[in-house]
Amino acid sequence: MTEDSQRNFRSVYYEKVGFRGVEEKKSLEILLKDDRLGILPPHHESHGQVMMYRKDQFSDVLHALKVVRFVSDATPQVEVFLRMYQLESGKLPRSPSFLLEPEDEVFVAIAKAMEEMVEDTVDCYWITRCFVNQLNTKYRDALPQLPKVFEQYLNLEESRLLGHLNTCSAVSKLPYDLWFKRCFAGCLPESSLQRVWDKVVSGSCKILVFVAVEILLTFKIKVMALNSAEKITQFLENIPQDSSDAIVSKAIDLWHKHCGTPVHSA
């Protein structure tokens, strides 16, 4: 058994016997006990010392930003996270008044969602930082391909719906940035988002495609009744939240249907 499959043995086992998302609720917090994203070393006896280093680094970077007056005690936490990330990656702008770049807005959206999942401020920053880094490195080439992959699977599941989107010239205007760059941050509530991000962290960004497909299938009647790309996009950017858990569960089913039992398939 490979290291990857050992890491997800229970999750894979439960899904095989029909239970979706078992023990996923705290999966992002469990990352703090793992070395997969480079947050902590694999040896648990080193964790206390490493966490001390992480807290010290967090404090040092935060202090530096306060000295140069990029942040203050009144700055919203997610903006503080962004400025820390920019400083550490050498991308801090010359002035805090500069408009955010698209990649900055992605970071902020993910940080806002992560803030609802992780209570400790230092942990929240490090998990957000490593999650975004994974998107920018491991999935850098795969993410731009997801819109086309989405079309392929939607066509397999409901070609008539894809035809309607094409008739309305909506396919190219769907909220792909919200779905794939932000990984549904700001679209799905955090309770559902955790289950999706668990799969992304485990090694498969393709789960994002199946969530998008399932959103279209779930709201097929509503979407088919809309006759313009603008109305369709506006609706998909603000879908009803009460269906999100069912959407994610069905998306995981679709993922298994089309990809077998993908433990870490990209």
Side-chain angles (χ1 to χ4, degrees), residues 132-198:
V132 171
N133 281 341
Q134 185 179 28
L135 297 179
N136 293 338
T137 54
K138 181 175 182 177
Y139 298 136
R140 180 183 60 187
D141 296 329
L143 288 176
Q145 307 303 318
L146 296 188
K148 283 296 181 185
V149 179
F150 161 79
E151 285 186 54
Q152 293 168 6
Y153 284 113
L154 182 60
N155 186 52
L156 288 173
E157 290 297 318
E158 184 55 79
S159 59
R160 182 165 165 261
L161 181 53
L162 179 61
H164 176 70
L165 296 177
N166 279 317
T167 299
C168 297
S169 301
V171 173
S172 63
K173 298 178 181 178
L174 295 177
Y176 295 126
D177 284 358
L178 175 63
W179 291 348
F180 304 143
K181 289 186 178 181
R182 301 189 184 193
C183 299
F184 293 95
C187 178
L188 298 176
E190 285 68 33
S191 59
S192 302
L193 206 54
Q194 288 185 55
R195 299 172 63 198
V196 177
W197 286 6
D198 174 75

Side-chain angles (χ1 to χ4, degrees), residues 70 79 82-83 86 91-106 108:
F70 253 80
E79 185 179 337
L82 172 64
R83 299 309 185 188
Q86 289 175 327
K91 296 179 180 179
L92 191 69
R94 286 182 295 173
S95 169
S97 63
F98 284 15
L99 294 176
L100 297 184
E101 298 291 335
E103 63 185 46
D104 299 330
E105 293 177 350
V106 168
V108 168

Side-chain angles (χ1 to χ4, degrees), residues 114-125:
M114 200 73 76
E115 196 176 31
E116 297 297 319
M117 303 180 198
V118 183
E119 292 182 6
D120 184 84
T121 301
V122 177
D123 290 349
C124 185
Y125 171 68

Side-chain angles (χ1 to χ4, degrees), residues 19-228:
F19 294 94
R20 301 293 187 235
V22 173
E23 296 191 358
E24 288 175 338
K25 185 175 182 180
K26 294 187 179 295
S27 59
L28 290 172
E29 294 178 10
I30 290 172
L31 285 175
L32 293 172
K33 299 178 182 177
D34 196 355
D35 67 329
R36 183 59 48 177
L37 293 181
I39 298 173
L40 289 175
H43 303 293
H44 292 277
E45 60 269 20
S46 303
H47 286 189
Q49 186 176 21
V50 171
M51 284 309 300
M52 181 180 69
Y53 291 151
R54 294 302 192 198
K55 288 178 180 178
D56 288 345
Q57 185 174 340
F58 182 95
S59 298
D60 290 344
V61 176
L62 179 58
H63 177 69
L65 287 169
K66 288 182 177 179
V67 169
V68 297
R69 298 183 179 179
F70 253 80
V71 302
S72 68
D73 291 338
T75 304
Q77 193 64 65
V78 292
E79 185 179 337
V80 172
F81 288 169
L82 172 64
R83 299 309 185 188
M84 291 178 68
Y85 182 73
Q86 289 175 327
L87 181 59
E88 290 193 293
S89 58
K91 296 179 180 179
L92 191 69
R94 286 182 295 173
S95 169
S97 63
F98 284 15
L99 294 176
L100 297 184
E101 298 291 335
E103 63 185 46
D104 299 330
E105 293 177 350
V106 168
F107 184 95
V108 168
I110 291 173
K112 283 181 179 178
M114 200 73 76
E115 196 176 31
E116 297 297 319
M117 303 180 198
V118 183
E119 292 182 6
D120 184 84
T121 301
V122 177
D123 290 349
C124 185
Y125 171 68
W126 281 105
I127 296 177
T128 301
R129 179 182 185 272
C130 292
F131 185 80
V132 171
N133 281 341
Q134 185 179 28
L135 297 179
N136 293 338
T137 54
K138 181 175 182 177
Y139 298 136
R140 180 183 60 187
D141 296 329
L143 288 176
Q145 307 303 318
L146 296 188
K148 283 296 181 185
V149 179
F150 161 79
E151 285 186 54
Q152 293 168 6
Y153 284 113
L154 182 60
N155 186 52
L156 288 173
E157 290 297 318
E158 184 55 79
S159 59
R160 182 165 165 261
L161 181 53
L162 179 61
H164 176 70
L165 296 177
N166 279 317
T167 299
C168 297
S169 301
V171 173
S172 63
K173 298 178 181 178
L174 295 177
Y176 295 126
D177 284 358
L178 175 63
W179 291 348
F180 304 143
K181 289 186 178 181
R182 301 189 184 193
C183 299
F184 293 95
C187 178
L188 298 176
E190 285 68 33
S191 59
S192 302
L193 206 54
Q194 288 185 55
R195 299 172 63 198
V196 177
W197 286 6
D198 174 75
K199 304 299 184 186
V200 175
V201 168
S202 296
S204 176
C205 66
K206 192 178 284 186
I207 186 62
L208 301 173
V209 167
F210 294 108
V211 175
V213 169
E214 188 55 47
I215 286 175
L216 267 296
L217 296 178
T218 298
F219 299 109
K220 177 175 68 173
I221 295 175
K222 174 68 175 179
V223 172
M224 292 290 285
L226 300 173
N227 55 13
S228 74

